[in-house]
């Protein structure tokens, strides 16, 4: 009997130890179960610029729209020779081919295939000499294709012929600067490049800039170590300045010697002068990759770490599960049941590289159910898996019971992440019927996920006339064509019901936005659309109305004798100007007013709080009501299940139209119809403006010291000095595109003279001149009446044009290839 009891005791002890060990293992170790994601296979391609690698390119799985892919700019010198380095990783590269295309992709100027790639250390090297006659200061698209065992991978950069741009000097400086920041002794030499301003605020590593202190620039007390090296990527470059972006990864040890991972992005704007480089602007954003195994849990919330405060998050109605997005990863946290779960990530937990950790994608949370299931939309560049190298939109459903993120649909697109993001910010919503709604290429799509089908609900929607609610389940737009033109159409995406708001006779409607789920729109009369002498229109709204989907008016606002202008819709209030008419041409602001959001706050709210620590500086914390049960919740990693359905192919070719693209601070900032607004924005950013054919409309800091245009080369209609836009457009239809830069400063407009484009400038009620030149002290003006050119002092010119309203008209010549 004793022997039996002894055996039973031993077995019980083994069972208890095994149970305890298993529980301890589950709570202390994390296993990467994402076996569905294959490792990235596409190689990387870089440019070797005088022994400094620049412009790292990632492979696309299909050809892209050339005019909507501008990841980097590669300058060409007079030799037009380039050396490319290919990092093949584990892939076999069979051949290297390239095409030089016009920037809109419409015409191939040159193509060549190279089979013999030279092996140099871990890289393959390829020398290319471009034979085409390329125009100076004109961007061209360069498509590189690598033939692999896995298929063909496509790579893109823009090439531009520009003289004396010092590209290798800029790249070497960026490499020196970021490496010196990581060494306190070396960092002392960087002080002369900075413009520190003492604010007394806690250090925020997600918002460091040229005005930060030397200590902050050199990472303060964070003591980071370089994990993945950065390669400079040129975004803009000319004879005077260059803009470069650098991305790299750091690690830092917390107080318990646990490793934190940081994605770092830096922007440099530099000027080369007198054989040295001057730093004009510097910005750094360090964002921590969330790690559920670290001590980030507090009684009232969860610490997300170093990042910006614009967190994409959603909590379910039961307030038991919160989902949030950080650095391209989706996480969920359930404080009540002691679990934190990485729902989706491209990152590898071990032996990863930039191909799997690249964050040219984003996630939009659509729904979090009371059971903890999550619907979300992933969009952008697919780092790895069955869609590696595709730009696209993927719809996922996370099943909490199975701990699997199931792909429900995939839509490939041919525009880069920067442009796709602009569309998806407007609308991306999945209803409970598994229907996805998107705005792409100015069309409103409904995609039936179950049936793998799509339809266009509305064509030709203008972005300026389209508004959606905060969670995207309602949207409205001004119908621009057909029998319903001028009506506002609103849709409830959950029911797919629509309603029309029709204007009364002589009335016009304008979409403004949403407050909660109620539509805000304006009513005005035809005579409230004012047009000045140069053809610029301004609109004053008489009545502002807030209305629910059933047509019930929640609020109506009006002020007799005044008009509502410059409206801004926020989460808690609507702000606007109250203006009066100034004759029949414009509005003049009189005072400001607001409309408050009276919706009561929900009982279970989540808020963002900023906290600070001496090592990490400012961190972001999600605060909520639910109390955590443990300091070390179980960290789980969901598996990802790919769909075996065919991709849903939509027509995402962007229609041809007049548009101006503002690039600044390392990326696409905005798309404008009004070129003057584009120039004003680019001036603020220190950026550039390009048109649809990728011609430089305007550049900050690339104006020559002096310029004189030969009047004999200027079209006669321009020398006449007319600022009638319609007349100019008609006469210059075959010559170029008329650009109205009214409202810009003379200093900005002189860039056009530098680019050898004459500018018509208004000087009085019925008078004008043509600016044909400038130097340090004068503008050179052509008098259309006397047909003479004369100098006029720069200060006097500025005053003359300001008093006439800064009305400037020029044109950009049509490029004939």
């Amino acid at each position: 009997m004793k022997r039996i009891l002894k055996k039973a005791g031993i077995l019980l002890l083994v069972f208890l130890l095994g149970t305890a060990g298993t529980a301890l293992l589950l709570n202390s170790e994390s296993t990467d179960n994402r076996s569905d994601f294959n490792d990235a296979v596409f190689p990387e391609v870089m440019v070797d610029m005088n022994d400094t690698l620049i412009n790292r390119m990632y492979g696309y799985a299909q050809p892209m729209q050339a005019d909507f892919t501008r990841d980097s700019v590669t300058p060409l010198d007079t030799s037009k020779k380039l050396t490319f380095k290919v990092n093949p990783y584990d892939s076999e590269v069979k051949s290297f081919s390239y095409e030089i295309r016009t920037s809109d992709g419409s015409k191939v100027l040159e193509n060549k295939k190279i089979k013999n790639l030279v092996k140099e250390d871990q890289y393959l090297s390829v020398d290319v000499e471009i034979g085409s006659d390329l125009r100076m200061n004109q961007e061209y698209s360069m498509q590189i294709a690598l033939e692999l065992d896995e298929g063909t991978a496509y790579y893109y950069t823009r090439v531009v012929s520009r003289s004396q741009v010092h590209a290798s000097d800029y790249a070497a400086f960026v490499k020196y600067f970021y490496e010196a920041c990581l060494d306190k002794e070396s960092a002392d030499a960087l002080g002369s490049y900075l413009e520190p301003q003492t604010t007394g605020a806690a250090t925020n590593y997600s918002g460091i800039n040229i005005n930060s202190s030397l200590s902050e620039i050199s990472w303060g007390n964070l003591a980071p170590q370089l994990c993945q090296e950065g390669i400079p990527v040129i975004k803009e470059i000319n004879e005077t300045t260059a803009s470069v972006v650098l991305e790299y990864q750091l690690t830092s040890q917390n107080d318990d010697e646990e490793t934190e991972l940081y994605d770092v992005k830096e922007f440099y704007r530099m000027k080369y002068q007198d054989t040295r480089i001057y730093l004009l602007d510097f910005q750094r954003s360090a964002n921590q990759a969330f790690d559920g195994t670290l001590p980030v849990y507090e009684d009232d919330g969860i610490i997300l770490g170093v990042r910006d405060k614009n967190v994409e998050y959603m909590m379910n109605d039961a307030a038991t599960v919160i989902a949030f997005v950080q650095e391209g990863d989706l996480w969920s946290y359930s404080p009540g049941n002691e679990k934190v779960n990485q729902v989706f990530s491209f990152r590898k937990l071990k032996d990863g590289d930039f191909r799997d950790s690249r964050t040219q994608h984003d996630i939009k949370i659509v729904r979090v159910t009371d059971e903890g299931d999550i619907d979300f939309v992933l969009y952008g560049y697919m780092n790895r898996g069955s869609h590696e190298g595709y730009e696209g939109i993927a719809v996922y459903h996370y099943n909490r019971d199975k701990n699997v993120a199931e792909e429900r649909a995939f839509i490939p697109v041919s525009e880069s992440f920067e442009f796709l993001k602009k569309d998806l910010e407007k609308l991306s919503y999945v209803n409970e019927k598994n229907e996805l709604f998107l705005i792409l290429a100015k069309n409103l799509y409904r995609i039936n996920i179950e049936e793998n089908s799509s339809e266009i609900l509305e064509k030709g929607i203008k972005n300026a006339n389209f508004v959606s609610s905060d969670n995207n389940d309602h949207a409205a737009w001004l119908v621009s064509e057909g029998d319903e033109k001028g009506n506002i159409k609103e849709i409830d995406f959950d029911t797919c019901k629509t309603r029309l708001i029709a204007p009364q006779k002589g009335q016009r409607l304008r979409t403004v936005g949403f407050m909660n789920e109620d539509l805000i729109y304006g009513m005005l009369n035809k005579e409230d659309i004012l047009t000045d002498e140069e053809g610029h229109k301004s609109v004053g709204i008489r009545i502002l109305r807030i209305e629910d989907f059933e047509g019930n008016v929640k609020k109506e606002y009006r002020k007799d004798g005044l008009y509502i202008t410059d409206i801004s819709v926020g989460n808690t209030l609507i702000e606007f100007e109250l203006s009066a008419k100034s004759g029949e041409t414009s509005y003049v602001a009189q005072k400001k007013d607001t409309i408050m959001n009276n919706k009561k706050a929900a009982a279970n709210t989540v808020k963002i709080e900023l906290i600070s620590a001496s090592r990490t500086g400012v961190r972001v914390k999600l605060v909520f009501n639910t109390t955590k049960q443990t300091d070390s919740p179980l960290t789980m990693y969901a598996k990802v299940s790919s769909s075996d359905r065919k991709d849903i192919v939509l027509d995402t070719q962007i229609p041809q139209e007049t548009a101006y693209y503002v690039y600044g601070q390392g990326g696409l900032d905005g798309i404008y119809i009004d070129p003057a607004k584009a120039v004003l924005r680019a001036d603020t950013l220190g950026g550039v403006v390009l048109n649809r054919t990728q011609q430089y409309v305007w550049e900050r800091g690339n104006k020559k010291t002096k310029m004189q245009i030969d009047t004999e080369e200027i079209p006669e209609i321009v020398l006449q000095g007319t600022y009638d836009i319609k007349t100019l457009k008609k006469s210059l239809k075959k010559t170029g595109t008329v650009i109205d830069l009214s409202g810009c400063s003379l200093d900005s407009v002189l860039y056009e003279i530098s680019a050898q484009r004459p500018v018509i400038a208004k000087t009085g009620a019925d008078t004008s001149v043509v600016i044909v030149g400038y130097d340090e002290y004068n503008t050179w003006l052509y008098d259309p009446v006397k047909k003479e050119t004369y100098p006029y002092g720069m200060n006097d010119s500025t005053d003359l044009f300001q008093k006439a309203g800064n009305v400037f008209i020029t044109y950009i010549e049509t490029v004939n290839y």
Side-chain angles (χ1 to χ4, degrees):
M1 186 68 181
K2 287 183 179 180
R3 186 180 300 171
I4 293 172
L5 289 173
K6 185 176 181 181
K7 286 184 177 180
I10 292 172
L11 289 172
L12 178 62
L13 180 62
V14 170
F15 172 76
L16 291 174
L17 288 172
T19 302
T22 302
L24 181 63
L25 183 67
L26 286 173
N27 282 277
S28 62
E29 294 188 5
S30 305
T31 305
D32 186 356
N33 291 322
R34 293 165 291 158
S35 56
D36 306 82
F37 269 157
N38 298 325
D39 288 349
V41 296
F42 284 2
E44 294 172 347
V45 177
M46 293 149 284
V47 179
D48 187 341
M49 191 69 68
N50 294 339
D51 297 326
T52 299
L53 293 180
I54 65 168
N55 291 359
R56 173 159 41 196
M57 294 168 253
Y58 297 87
Y60 291 101
Q62 65 175 5
M64 304 290 285
Q65 291 186 65
D67 48 345
F68 290 92
T69 306
R70 192 175 185 268
D71 297 333
S72 64
V73 175
T74 301
L76 297 172
D77 59 21
T78 53
S79 71
K80 291 191 287 187
K81 293 180 179 179
L82 291 172
T83 298
F84 291 93
K85 299 290 186 182
V86 178
N87 186 347
Y89 291 96
D90 295 325
S91 292
E92 180 184 350
V93 180
K94 297 179 180 179
S95 68
F96 176 108
S97 59
Y98 72 89
E99 285 185 349
I100 304 294
R101 289 177 174 261
T102 56
S103 286
D104 61 359
S106 62
K107 185 177 180 181
V108 177
L109 304 179
E110 178 176 330
N111 57 62
K112 191 173 182 180
K113 188 172 186 177
I114 302 169
K115 290 186 176 181
N116 297 322
L117 286 76
V118 180
K119 176 75 173 175
E120 293 181 358
D121 299 325
Q122 79 267 36
Y123 297 132
L124 301 173
S125 183
V126 183
D127 291 326
V128 168
E129 183 174 355
I130 298 171
S132 300
D133 186 16
L134 305 182
R135 292 165 59 100
M136 291 291 290
N137 303 318
Q138 169 68 47
E139 288 190 6
Y140 295 83
S141 173
M142 186 174 194
Q143 174 187 281
I144 296 165
L146 298 184
E147 186 182 350
L148 314 171
D149 287 334
E150 298 82 8
T152 303
Y154 301 91
Y155 302 79
Y156 291 86
T157 186
R158 297 282 180 83
V159 293
V160 60
S161 293
R162 292 193 135 165
S163 59
Q164 298 179 338
V165 294
H166 307 287
S168 58
D169 296 304
Y170 288 130
F173 174 83
V174 167
K175 186 174 175 62
Y176 155 72
F177 192 96
Y178 99 92
E179 289 178 348
C181 288
L182 294 169
D183 182 274
K184 289 294 184 182
E185 291 185 7
S186 300
D188 288 341
L190 303 178
S192 61
Y193 295 104
L194 307 178
E195 301 170 11
Q197 296 176 1
T198 304
T199 63
T203 299
N204 186 344
Y205 289 115
S206 70
I208 298 297
N209 56 49
I210 197 170
N211 301 128
S212 300
S213 68
L214 181 60
S215 174
E216 292 171 322
I217 292 285
S218 58
W219 297 101
N221 298 320
L222 194 64
Q225 298 294 314
L226 187 61
C227 174
Q228 296 275 358
E229 291 186 0
I231 291 179
V233 175
I234 298 174
K235 295 293 187 176
E236 315 295 344
I237 192 163
N238 55 50
E239 291 85 348
T240 311
T241 63
S243 294
V244 175
V245 165
L246 185 75
E247 295 184 24
Y248 56 99
Q249 286 185 327
L250 300 175
T251 58
S252 178
Q253 304 296 309
N254 67 13
D255 294 339
D256 297 323
E257 296 187 353
E258 297 167 310
T259 301
E260 302 165 344
L261 179 66
Y262 294 83
D263 295 328
V264 185
K265 183 175 182 179
E266 294 180 342
F267 168 74
Y268 298 77
R269 186 163 180 267
M270 298 158 286
K271 179 179 181 179
Y272 188 95
Q273 185 176 327
D274 301 328
T275 69
R276 64 159 292 184
I277 289 176
Y278 295 85
L279 190 60
L280 302 177
D281 192 13
F282 172 76
Q283 296 179 40
R284 176 196 291 153
S285 176
N287 293 297
Q288 192 171 350
F290 185 81
D291 186 345
T293 66
L294 298 179
V296 295
Y297 309 96
E298 297 192 345
D299 288 339
D300 61 344
I302 183 170
I303 300 171
L304 303 186
V306 176
R307 58 157 298 157
D308 65 84
K309 62 182 180 181
N310 298 314
V311 183
E312 167 77 9
Y313 68 88
M314 186 179 292
M315 182 170 258
N316 61 0
D317 291 338
T320 55
V321 178
I322 186 167
F324 60 91
V325 178
Q326 185 140 327
E327 286 301 278
D329 304 339
L330 176 62
W331 290 80
S332 70
Y333 176 47
S334 307
N337 71 0
E338 307 175 10
K339 289 182 181 179
V340 63
N341 199 321
Q342 188 183 75
V343 174
F344 184 93
S345 178
F346 282 125
R347 297 175 191 269
K348 293 178 65 176
L349 290 183
K350 292 182 179 179
D351 302 323
D353 55 56
F354 262 121
R355 294 176 301 168
D356 60 78
S357 59
R358 187 179 185 227
T359 54
Q360 286 290 298
H361 64 272
D362 212 341
I363 292 172
K364 183 171 184 179
I365 304 166
V366 176
R367 186 177 296 105
V368 182
T369 69
D370 286 347
E371 294 76 28
D373 290 3
I374 303 170
D375 290 312
F376 62 96
V377 176
L378 165 73
Y379 61 94
Y381 182 86
M382 304 293 145
N383 293 6
R384 59 188 183 119
S386 60
H387 302 300
E388 181 186 348
Y390 279 95
E391 285 284 343
I393 304 161
V395 181
Y396 279 90
H397 175 80
Y398 169 66
N399 186 306
R400 188 179 184 184
D401 290 339
K402 296 180 181 178
N403 196 30
V404 173
E406 303 167 335
E407 181 189 286
R408 310 299 301 276
F410 183 76
I411 304 164
V413 299
S414 56
E415 58 181 0
S416 67
F417 175 62
E418 291 183 316
F419 287 91
L420 180 61
K421 188 176 178 66
K422 295 291 182 185
D423 283 333
L424 272 290
E425 284 174 347
K426 281 284 184 183
L427 176 69
S428 57
Y429 184 73
V430 181
N431 65 18
E432 293 185 352
K433 299 175 186 176
N434 274 324
E435 294 173 321
L436 169 66
F437 298 88
L438 299 169
I439 288 279
L440 282 175
K442 302 193 179 302
N443 294 330
L444 173 60
Y445 284 96
R446 174 167 63 182
I447 292 130
N448 190 310
I449 295 171
E450 297 297 335
E451 297 178 2
N452 215 45
S453 62
S454 66
E455 64 175 313
I456 296 176
L457 297 181
E458 188 89 12
K459 290 184 177 181
I461 294 178
K462 296 179 180 178
N463 284 341
N465 299 329
F466 183 89
V467 293
S468 60
S469 60
D470 284 345
N471 61 5
N472 279 186
D473 59 356
H474 287 83
W477 61 93
L478 192 66
V479 181
S480 58
E481 55 188 44
D483 295 338
E484 297 171 349
K485 183 178 180 180
N487 286 231
I488 289 177
K489 183 179 282 189
E490 184 181 6
I491 186 169
D492 179 336
F493 291 124
D494 286 324
T495 63
C496 288
K497 291 180 178 179
T498 61
R499 71 179 186 116
L500 282 176
I501 305 171
Q504 297 176 4
K505 187 176 180 180
Q507 192 181 67
R508 301 288 188 271
L509 301 179
R510 292 291 183 271
T511 53
V512 174
F514 278 85
M515 181 167 277
N516 308 323
E517 300 306 310
D518 300 326
L519 175 64
I520 310 165
Y521 66 95
M523 295 179 281
L524 59 145
N525 294 340
K526 184 178 179 180
E527 59 265 27
D528 301 328
I529 303 173
L530 306 182
T531 305
D532 63 19
E533 296 174 359
E534 290 75 48
H536 305 122
K537 292 183 178 181
S538 54
V539 174
I541 291 173
R542 294 184 179 224
I543 301 171
L544 201 62
R545 182 175 285 177
I546 304 175
E547 190 173 291
D548 66 18
F549 192 73
E550 285 70 40
N552 301 310
V553 178
K554 298 294 187 71
K555 186 175 182 62
E556 191 170 277
Y557 179 99
R558 71 174 84 195
K559 289 286 183 182
D560 291 339
L562 294 175
Y563 299 83
I564 301 163
T565 60
D566 300 317
I567 306 172
S568 173
V569 179
N571 291 327
T572 57
L573 80 164
I574 309 168
E575 299 178 277
F576 48 85
E577 298 273 6
L578 288 173
S579 302
K581 285 183 179 179
S582 176
E584 298 181 355
T585 59
S586 63
Y587 288 93
V588 177
Q590 305 294 306
K591 57 182 178 179
K592 295 181 181 292
D593 205 349
T594 60
I595 298 174
M596 295 292 295
N597 184 354
N598 294 320
K599 183 180 179 181
K600 293 181 179 179
N604 297 306
T605 58
V606 180
K607 64 179 182 179
I608 294 171
E609 189 176 287
L610 300 180
I611 58 176
S612 185
S614 60
R615 182 180 66 87
T616 56
V618 175
R619 295 179 294 170
V620 171
K621 177 181 175 182
L622 283 180
V623 179
F624 33 88
N625 297 337
T626 308
T627 303
K628 69 178 175 66
Q629 303 296 314
T630 177
D631 290 332
S632 302
L634 175 64
T635 303
M636 301 177 66
Y637 297 86
K639 295 181 71 174
V640 178
S641 173
S642 298
S643 172
D644 57 1
R645 298 182 179 186
K646 291 183 178 180
D647 295 345
I648 299 174
V649 180
L650 306 178
D651 181 9
T652 59
Q653 189 75 27
I654 309 297
Q656 286 289 342
E657 63 177 0
T658 300
Y660 300 91
Y661 305 100
V662 175
Y663 290 90
Q665 298 181 352
L668 176 69
D669 177 76
I671 305 170
Y672 294 79
I673 302 301
D674 185 340
K677 289 182 179 177
V679 168
L680 290 169
R681 177 60 181 166
D683 193 20
T684 302
L685 295 174
V688 303
V689 181
L690 279 77
N691 63 9
R692 181 64 189 264
T693 57
Q694 307 305 306
Q695 292 171 282
Y696 289 97
V697 176
W698 189 88
E699 299 174 86
R700 174 73 178 270
N702 192 31
K703 186 179 68 179
K704 294 178 174 63
T705 307
K706 59 182 179 179
M707 175 59 66
Q708 186 86 29
I709 304 172
D710 186 349
T711 55
E712 292 184 2
E713 297 178 358
I714 299 174
E716 179 60 30
I717 187 64
V718 176
L719 289 177
Q720 290 176 13
T722 179
Y723 42 83
D724 184 293
I725 299 291
K726 289 183 179 179
T727 301
L728 284 168
K729 284 183 176 179
K730 185 177 180 180
S731 298
L732 295 173
K733 186 175 182 180
K734 295 182 179 179
T735 306
T737 303
V738 175
I739 303 290
D740 186 349
L741 296 180
S742 297
C744 297
S745 68
L746 173 62
D747 184 61
S748 291
V749 168
L750 289 181
Y751 168 84
E752 307 303 329
I753 311 299
S754 178
Q756 301 189 51
R757 301 169 189 147
V759 176
I760 300 167
K762 187 177 179 180
T763 56
D766 298 304
T767 59
S768 66
V769 294
V770 183
I771 309 174
V772 295
Y774 66 90
D775 56 27
E776 186 178 354
Y777 305 103
N778 302 292
T779 59
W780 288 86
L781 309 179
Y782 175 83
D783 187 328
V785 178
K786 297 181 180 179
K787 301 185 185 304
E788 295 176 353
T789 301
Y790 59 94
Y792 202 66
M794 190 64 72
N795 292 335
D796 292 336
S797 298
T798 301
D799 185 56
L800 174 66
F801 300 140
Q802 279 181 347
K803 287 179 178 178
N806 273 351
V807 176
F808 300 112
I809 314 292
T810 187
Y811 72 96
I812 295 183
E813 65 285 355
T814 300
V815 179
N816 296 312
Y817 297 103

